Amino acid sequence: MIDLKYKPTIIGNKVILRPFETGDIDYMEECLKDPEVLKFTGSIDDFDRDFITRWYSTRNDQTDRLDLAIVDKCNNIAVGEVVVNEYDETRHSMNFRILIGPRGRDRGLGTEATTLFVDYIFTNTDLKQLTLGVYSFNPRAQRVYEKVGFILESIDKDELEYEGVMIDSLNMVLTRENWERMHK
Ligand SMILES: CC(C)(COP(=O)(O)OP(=O)(O)OC[C@H]1O[C@@H](n2cnc3c(N)ncnc32)[C@H](O)[C@@H]1OP(=O)(O)O)[C@@H](O)C(=O)NCCC(=O)NCCS
């Protein structure tokens, strides 16, 4: 098991990744209820306010996962989150995920947040790899992951039904070796 008790603040050019604060909850609720976030994360809008408050006020107590707010440096507002969770002992690996709400998308924040977070994880743990799942109808997210060094590993066919169409889920992996190669 990887100890992720410590919650860092990571400062980039466009974003700051930092532990959640009470003032982020309204902004995170906006992100979670955003139609594009719901579509691309395969979620339904069933988050009530109490759940969201409880969720974000307990992220900093978790020792087996790391959840950080993505804060837009332009206005100091939380526009999304980056997460590693679900430790896989066999592969000595964890799952990465990211979401950015409407205030933060398409300005390079996701690319920078992913790069900073992945760098932090590989520098501060001995994990062998990070994995993720991305739906085939989300080329923007795939592009971000490829830029950071994730490669396609396998495909789970027909994982999601969206508006009557079956959508595949792509399993991507970033190995430590590939991450190191990206830094040379
Ligand atoms: C996916 C997500 C994290 C990306 O973050 P972002 O800040 O919007 O993305 P960026 O601006 O950093 O980069 C997007 C890249 O995708 C490219 N892109 C955008 N739309 C695209 C499309 N339809 N097809 C291919 N590439 C696309 C952009 O050109 C850019 O690449 P470039 O820098 O080489 O030009 C964010 O949009 C998001 O959270 N979306 C909603 C939820 C989601 O999809 N989460 C991921 C679930 S797996």
Side-chain angles (χ1 to χ4, degrees):
M1 184 54 78
I2 298 287
D3 185 0
L4 292 167
K5 184 164 53 221
Y6 176 68
K7 309 300 178 192
T9 293
I10 304 165
I11 300 174
N13 295 322
K14 297 178 178 176
V15 297
I16 299 174
L17 308 180
R18 59 144 175 79
F20 285 100
E21 299 172 357
T22 312
D24 299 332
I25 290 171
D26 283 347
Y27 293 113
M28 291 312 297
E29 181 170 20
E30 180 183 285
C31 294
L32 293 181
K33 292 181 180 258
D34 170 58
E36 265 193 53
V37 166
L38 291 167
K39 173 180 175 184
F40 291 126
T41 57
S43 310
I44 46 164
D45 181 4
D46 62 352
F47 308 109
D48 72 29
R49 178 74 187 185
D50 286 349
F51 173 82
I52 292 171
T53 303
R54 224 175 316 116
W55 182 259
Y56 287 106
S57 53
T58 53
R59 289 313 83 200
N60 300 340
D61 307 329
Q62 311 301 310
T63 58
D64 62 348
R65 53 184 286 154
L66 181 60
D67 304 65
L68 295 177
I70 303 171
V71 175
D72 184 349
K73 278 179 88 173
C74 287
N75 51 17
N76 213 26
I77 285 175
V79 293
E81 65 182 3
V82 276
V83 178
V84 286
N85 60 3
E86 296 173 4
Y87 176 66
D88 176 339
E89 198 172 349
T90 323
R91 298 178 65 161
H92 196 41
S93 168
M94 291 186 80
N95 179 68
F96 168 77
R97 62 179 182 75
I98 181 169
L99 65 83
I100 296 182
R103 290 171 193 268
R105 289 194 289 261
D106 297 318
R107 289 189 283 121
L109 276 56
T111 301
E112 189 182 83
T114 304
T115 306
L116 291 171
F117 194 60
V118 160
D119 288 354
Y120 176 85
I121 294 296
F122 279 123
T123 306
N124 291 280
T125 72
D126 66 349
L127 284 171
K128 280 193 180 153
Q129 52 190 234
L130 290 171
T131 57
L132 63 81
V134 55
Y135 292 120
S136 56
F137 66 178
N138 193 354
R140 175 176 54 192
Q142 288 165 48
R143 168 85 187 125
V144 170
Y145 302 147
E146 280 162 5
K147 279 197 286 180
V148 177
F150 282 87
I151 57 168
L152 180 64
E153 187 179 45
S154 62
I155 300 178
D156 294 331
K157 293 294 288 176
D158 299 341
E159 272 285 293
L160 174 76
E161 184 178 344
Y162 184 79
E163 295 182 344
V165 179
M166 297 311 294
I167 309 293
D168 297 342
S169 178
L170 315 181
N171 299 309
M172 301 184 79
V173 61
L174 174 57
T175 60
R176 177 172 290 278
E177 291 70 31
N178 209 26
W179 171 74
E180 280 165 356
R181 209 171 304 128
M182 303 286 294
H183 282 74
K184 279 189 186 147

